[in-house]
Amino acid sequence: MYLNGKFKMKWQIISSDQALYFHSWDNEYVVYNSLSGDTHLLNLTASRVLMKLQQSPTDAITLTKLIASTDQSESNAEKELQIEHLLAELNTLNLIEKCQNTITYTPPSCR
Amino acid sequence: MTIKKHQNDNMEDKQSSESIEDKTKSVDPSRRRFTKSGLAASGVILTLASRPVLANAVCKSPSGFLSGNTSTHIVEMCFGNYPDYYANNPQAWYGTQYQPGTYNNQKENSNSIGNSSSTNNVDKWVGGTQFQEAFTGSRRFPGRSMMQVLWMGDPMGAHLCAALLNAALGLTPPLTEARIVDMCLEYETKGYFEPIAGVHWLEGDIIYYLQSLA
């Protein structure tokens, strides 16, 4: 369940000081986050999402269009929901953060 | 389609001594197939956190902080203090070769160290070990003492001063005073500090590491 407009929320990497180091084997990526010191093993989709957010803040809908697989068995709504869940997971791991937030405090501005 | 999120049992693997390569080999093949079936299913397969369970209790050198201590055996403990502690407790500097200086309060004896709890003016602190004297070769904070730098509000300068005092007091064993000075000078020279070859720490990374020692 989601609120209207939630998918329009933009995401970005956490800080301009944050460095993400990628190394790939087949379709899996090992990513080291200099900000947290953690190392993550990501699948192709997650790594592409992260690389895209490194370039510029982006919302889930745009990410889905850019990264969506050719698998037509899933509807766009299902794909967007999966991307939204992925973004929440990356946020939990301190890889990305929201540009805007519906909670009433001053959000970090999109760079 | 159910999104398979990062499982708690995988988070316990933080403490495992297995390498990343071993982890990829040990991934359940059925799970690997599942990751291919959905657009973003199981996007994050596993995470190896750099911090041990007893966060901030285990001291690490900069390179050790990067690689992470995957063993549960605690080697050394850290009991460092934050910058504001040294800014507000000049007596804590005793036992080091660094002098806090004198708080210039006209209401008190001019030779005594004043109660700095009400100090919010950097220039009320006079004398004391100069920042450039402690960090020989540095070009930052000319004419400023370490105590003044602690009060100036510059995060990097304040954490470096605190780290130096912590090291001088033996509170952060893996990190020596010489190493802290080198860290400061390398950052000034290159714009980053390189704890191991190929890894560049910017100001935020350095501060994050120094904070971990407290």
Side-chain angles (χ1 to χ4, degrees):
Chain A
M1 185 175 180
Y2 58 92
L3 299 175
N4 285 334
K6 182 177 180 181
F7 288 164
K8 294 181 181 177
M9 181 186 303
K10 284 194 173 182
W11 295 82
Q12 62 186 6
I13 58 171
I14 291 179
S15 149
S16 58
D17 292 338
Q18 179 184 24
L20 299 175
Y21 299 90
F22 291 80
H23 193 96
S24 65
W25 288 273
D26 296 327
N27 284 333
E28 288 179 339
Y29 286 75
V30 172
V31 180
Y32 171 73
N33 181 4
S34 70
L35 205 60
S36 65
D38 294 343
T39 304
H40 309 276
L41 179 63
L42 310 180
N43 69 0
L44 179 60
T45 301
S47 59
R48 291 177 67 188
V49 165
L50 207 51
M51 289 179 191
K52 175 56 187 171
L53 294 177
Q54 259 193 315
Q55 296 172 3
S56 61
T58 316
D59 58 74
I61 295 175
T62 306
L63 285 169
T64 305
K65 292 175 183 175
L66 290 171
I67 294 166
S69 68
T70 55
D71 182 2
Q72 298 301 315
S73 64
E74 295 176 321
S75 67
N76 283 338
E78 286 176 335
K79 292 176 184 177
E80 287 169 6
L81 187 59
Q82 289 180 34
I83 290 292
E84 188 68 19
H85 279 280
L86 173 61
L87 291 170
E89 191 172 6
L90 295 176
N91 180 38
T92 302
L93 295 174
N94 297 315
L95 284 164
I96 62 175
E97 66 182 0
K98 297 175 184 176
C99 283
Q100 303 268 335
N101 202 303
T102 55
I103 300 174
T104 55
Y105 67 87
T106 305
S109 56
C110 281
R111 291 178 287 277
Chain B
M1 173 70 70
T2 301
I3 303 300
K4 179 173 266 189
K5 294 188 178 181
H6 199 54
Q7 297 298 317
N8 288 335
D9 57 355
N10 283 336
M11 300 302 279
E12 291 174 4
D13 290 335
K14 295 177 195 179
Q15 303 304 319
S16 169
S17 58
E18 293 178 65
S19 65
I20 292 177
E21 186 174 353
D22 290 341
K23 277 294 179 185
T24 57
K25 290 179 181 176
S26 64
V27 171
D28 182 355
S30 64
R31 190 153 176 252
R32 185 183 294 275
R33 288 194 294 274
F34 184 80
T35 64
K36 294 180 180 177
S37 63
L39 176 63
S42 304
V44 182
I45 300 169
L46 66 87
T47 290
L48 293 177
S50 67
R51 298 169 300 282
V53 172
L54 297 178
N56 298 330
V58 178
C59 255
K60 295 191 184 70
S61 65
S63 58
F65 185 77
L66 254 185
S67 62
N69 181 13
T70 56
S71 167
T72 55
H73 175 66
I74 297 174
V75 179
E76 290 175 295
M77 303 289 287
C78 273
F79 299 96
N81 296 302
Y82 286 118
D84 61 344
Y85 175 77
Y86 290 113
N88 289 293
N89 294 281
Q91 67 276 13
W93 298 46
Y94 297 149
T96 74
Q97 66 270 44
Y98 310 109
Q99 301 300 318
T102 305
Y103 180 67
N104 188 5
N105 187 332
Q106 295 178 351
K107 294 182 180 180
E108 297 183 6
N109 186 307
S110 62
N111 292 325
S112 68
I113 297 178
N115 178 6
S116 60
S117 61
S118 59
T119 300
N120 56 10
N121 189 335
V122 170
D123 292 327
K124 284 189 176 180
W125 283 96
V126 296
T129 303
Q130 296 294 293
F131 182 89
Q132 292 187 344
E133 179 185 348
F135 293 87
T136 307
S138 172
R139 286 177 290 182
R140 298 194 72 194
F141 309 112
R144 292 296 192 182
S145 68
M146 289 175 64
M147 180 61 91
Q148 289 176 324
V149 171
L150 285 170
W151 282 100
M152 283 173 65
D154 181 278
M156 182 72 155
H159 277 90
L160 283 171
C161 288
L164 198 64
L165 290 164
N166 284 330
L169 290 168
L171 300 177
T172 54
L175 194 59
T176 63
E177 293 168 73
R179 190 74 168 123
I180 296 168
V181 173
D182 287 343
M183 184 184 296
C184 171
L185 297 181
E186 183 173 344
Y187 175 75
E188 282 186 34
T189 306
K190 298 181 181 178
Y192 59 83
F193 171 69
E194 198 168 6
I196 61 173
V199 176
H200 296 172
W201 281 3
L202 301 180
E203 179 172 334
D205 304 315
I206 295 172
I207 292 172
Y208 184 78
Y209 166 69
L210 294 177
Q211 287 176 333
S212 76
L213 302 177

